Amino acid sequence: MNEIVAIAAAADEAAAVLQRLGVTADYAGSGSLVARSPISGSEIGRVRQVTADQAKAAIERAHTAYLAWRKVPAPRRGELVRLFGDELRAAKADLGRLVTLEAGKVTAEGLGEVQEMIDICDYAVGLSRQLFGLTIATERPEHRMAETWRSIGVVGIITAFNFPVAVWAWNAALAVVCGDSVVWKPSEKTPLTALAVQSLFERACARFGEAPAHLSELIIGGREVGEVLVDHPKVPLVSATGSTAMGRTVGPRVAARFGRSLLELGGNNAAIVAPSADLELTLRGVAFAAMGTAGQRCTTLRRLIVHDSIYDAFIGKLRSVYASVAIGDPRMSGVLVGPLIDQGAYEAMQHALVEARGAGATVHGGERVEIAGSDGWFVRPALVEIASQAEVVKRETFAPILYVLRYRELDEAIALQNDVAQGLSSSIFTLDLREAERFQSEEGSDCGIVNVNIGPSGAEIGGAFGGEKETGGGRESGSDSWRAYMKRATQTLNYGKTLPLAQGVSFDI
């Protein structure tokens, strides 16, 4: 009975949280886009969508803001991001709760996503004093040559439902300290969290006092609005997170106008379990990586490649974990697996499981779980034992399905790991130094993220995030990812009275 009451209250709770975060009923209470909670399937808000012309106007406003913002010294720009981080700290509980209500993440993961936003703000503040270039040796006397980095302009950000706020922050925090403005198109499945973040950013701008209006613009809408962002000549960089199919559309369209795209697309991530692995550590690592966020992370573990000598013992324990994991309302204490985002995700999962059975697989779990009083799409995570890497295994299904295969030799396991179109994240569980080093070498994993004794999910903001092949090749967050949000200039200054030419060219007049 308590569970029924809690689920029924999702709309009221969302309204109260939005009010505390500064989002008025004018924005979240009326409009054509219905926001639903995957916990119950019930409506939790209505949001106004923009037209294509309104999206174009928002980009023009952001461009005007950029022209002013680029003149502000980078450390001062960092101060705005510091203030935004403070707003996020103060609102962490509420924003994390909103992520849970709208995206279905369990409480710890909702709070963790906001913490990731705070962390990238801290990172960006430090970065604002380290946007360094190079001094380059020149062959010409009395000359100085240098490489500098300058702001790029309006950065378009397209985000997906599964990380409705953190991925925007990865891009926006770096873009703002680099001197850019941002225009954000969130997923139509998670518009309320976007409204809340925009409100918090505007609070930070008000405290800062020097930020131009429209430094961050929010455009909510469907494909037509996204196309405006992709095609607009005043958006030199489009950072888009989503499916590989989406990337195949976005990449060529941006390239056709000689813009840049930063693509974070599909993942079909694998983990190898070697004979020497610490099996208790491995069990925990596999369970979180495969079932966390109900299998709806781009870094979710989707393929498990286990050595034949330990297969039966390890998979037996894993089956027990799968059968007993707590599934339910993600707001409830002890629940580890919340709902799928919607019915479409459920149907895609069931279609994949039917195909896997047709390929001879044994499926454990995968059935719908009825949560009292809920029209949400809750499922038991599926553990699928399969003899070979069939086509269904090579495709990414955005749901909690873990395909399990056997191997005998490490080279065989690495070949299986690499034999998919995606190249995001990977891991190996081993205590053998030679195996670990081989997996991380040129001859090992072909992914952008290569881990040892941790699963493929849970990347930290200090490292560049992204992958290869059909994952898109983009890099966000840490390391030198800031360079994507800037443009490079090679500058040469002649402080002498002669004009020597490079390469010994002589041109006397």
Side-chain angles (χ1 to χ4, degrees):
M1 185 64 179
N2 289 338
E3 188 175 30
I4 296 173
V5 172
I7 292 174
D12 292 338
E13 189 176 3
V17 169
L18 286 165
Q19 185 177 31
R20 290 195 294 272
L21 294 174
V23 180
T24 66
D26 290 342
Y27 288 96
S30 62
S32 58
L33 180 60
V34 177
R36 296 188 181 277
S37 174
I39 300 171
S40 60
S42 62
E43 180 180 320
I44 56 173
R46 287 180 176 263
V47 180
R48 286 182 292 178
Q49 302 185 78
V50 302
T51 65
D53 285 342
Q54 288 171 328
K56 291 174 185 176
I59 292 168
E60 292 290 348
R61 292 192 298 268
H63 179 72
T64 300
Y66 154 69
L67 296 176
W69 186 241
R70 65 181 179 175
K71 300 176 186 177
V72 177
R76 283 296 297 157
R77 301 194 297 249
E79 173 63 9
L80 171 56
V81 175
R82 187 190 70 78
L83 292 171
F84 179 52
D86 285 350
E87 295 293 338
L88 289 170
R89 284 181 173 87
K92 180 178 177 179
D94 276 337
L95 186 55
R97 191 65 157 185
L98 192 58
V99 170
T100 292
L101 291 167
E102 191 172 40
K105 291 188 175 185
V106 298
T107 297
E109 289 190 288
L111 293 172
E113 182 163 354
V114 182
Q115 185 60 50
E116 197 165 352
M117 300 175 76
I118 295 167
D119 292 345
I120 196 65
C121 285
D122 287 349
Y123 182 90
V125 172
L127 179 66
S128 70
R129 294 181 180 272
Q130 300 179 70
L131 299 173
F132 51 83
L134 297 171
T135 299
I136 303 169
T138 172
E139 65 187 74
R140 290 167 286 186
E142 297 184 307
H143 281 56
R144 179 175 60 79
M145 188 161 59
E147 176 185 275
T148 62
W149 293 86
R150 300 177 292 182
S151 56
I152 194 172
V154 178
V155 175
I157 305 172
I158 300 172
T159 57
F161 76 85
N162 60 323
F163 277 85
V165 291
V167 170
W168 174 84
W170 287 0
N171 287 273
L174 298 193
V176 167
V177 299
C178 288
D180 306 321
S181 59
V182 296
V183 178
W184 180 14
K185 184 208 169 295
S187 168
E188 300 98 300
K189 297 178 182 181
T190 51
L192 300 182
T193 46
L195 286 169
V197 169
Q198 179 69 14
S199 175
L200 293 173
F201 186 79
E202 288 172 359
R203 285 183 185 177
C205 287
R207 289 175 59 195
F208 183 71
E210 303 170 40
H214 311 295
L215 186 59
S216 173
E217 284 280 333
L218 180 63
I219 53 173
I220 294 175
R223 184 184 180 95
E224 183 184 34
V225 170
E227 289 176 341
V228 170
L229 200 56
V230 167
D231 294 335
H232 203 288
K234 289 184 179 175
V235 183
L237 172 65
V238 176
S239 176
T241 301
S243 68
T244 299
M246 179 273 289
R248 284 198 174 98
T249 299
V250 170
R253 288 180 69 156
V254 175
R257 60 177 176 83
F258 299 102
R260 300 186 206 168
S261 57
L262 196 167
L263 300 175
E264 297 287 359
L265 309 175
N268 193 354
N269 316 294
I272 298 169
V273 184
S276 68
D278 178 333
L279 295 186
E280 289 304 314
L281 179 148
T282 303
L283 192 65
R284 291 181 60 202
V286 167
F288 170 72
M291 293 188 282
T293 324
Q296 298 171 120
R297 288 176 178 240
C298 54
T299 53
T300 289
L301 176 60
R302 308 203 181 279
R303 297 176 295 134
L304 188 64
I305 305 165
V306 183
H307 193 271
D308 191 65
S309 65
I310 59 171
Y311 183 97
D312 291 336
F314 182 74
I315 297 305
K317 291 181 178 179
L318 190 59
R319 281 200 301 265
S320 297
V321 171
Y322 266 64
S324 62
V325 69
I327 302 162
D329 183 340
R331 295 168 293 178
M332 295 295 186
S333 176
V335 168
L336 296 179
V337 179
L340 295 174
I341 191 65
D342 56 23
Q343 182 177 352
Y346 171 78
E347 291 175 351
M349 179 179 180
Q350 297 309 307
H351 178 80
L353 293 178
V354 169
E355 187 175 347
R357 289 188 181 97
T362 301
V363 177
H364 309 277
E367 70 276 8
R368 189 173 181 189
V369 178
E370 296 293 338
I371 302 298
S374 171
D375 289 325
W377 295 92
F378 295 83
V379 295
R380 182 160 297 282
L383 193 63
V384 180
E385 297 183 77
I386 192 164
S388 64
Q389 198 153 255
E391 285 305 309
V392 67
V393 181
K394 293 183 179 183
R395 290 198 310 271
E396 179 190 35
T397 301
F398 218 58
I401 301 175
L402 179 61
Y403 298 102
V404 187
L405 303 102
R406 296 174 183 257
Y407 82 95
R408 289 185 174 85
E409 300 294 334
L410 182 60
D411 284 351
E412 175 193 359
I414 292 173
L416 285 169
Q417 138 70 37
N418 292 342
D419 187 28
V420 293
Q422 310 85 357
L424 178 52
S425 191
S426 59
S427 66
I428 187 170
F429 290 89
T430 180
L431 298 181
D432 185 323
L433 180 62
R434 289 172 296 182
E435 289 186 326
E437 289 289 352
R438 182 170 179 79
F439 185 71
Q440 293 190 315
S441 75
E442 289 276 1
E443 299 176 287
S445 168
D446 63 1
C447 292
I449 300 170
V450 186
N451 295 332
V452 175
N453 292 330
I454 61 171
S457 61
E460 295 184 36
I461 58 92
F465 180 90
E468 300 301 325
K469 302 190 291 189
E470 289 190 2
T471 300
R475 292 298 187 274
E476 294 173 328
S477 192
S479 185
D480 65 348
S481 298
W482 59 270
R483 294 185 177 191
Y485 306 91
M486 304 195 84
K487 55 192 177 187
R488 187 192 318 239
T490 300
Q491 301 173 336
T492 304
L493 184 149
N494 178 2
Y495 57 89
K497 296 182 178 180
T498 61
L499 191 67
L501 302 178
Q503 292 87 47
V505 173
S506 177
F507 194 82
D508 295 326
I509 57 172

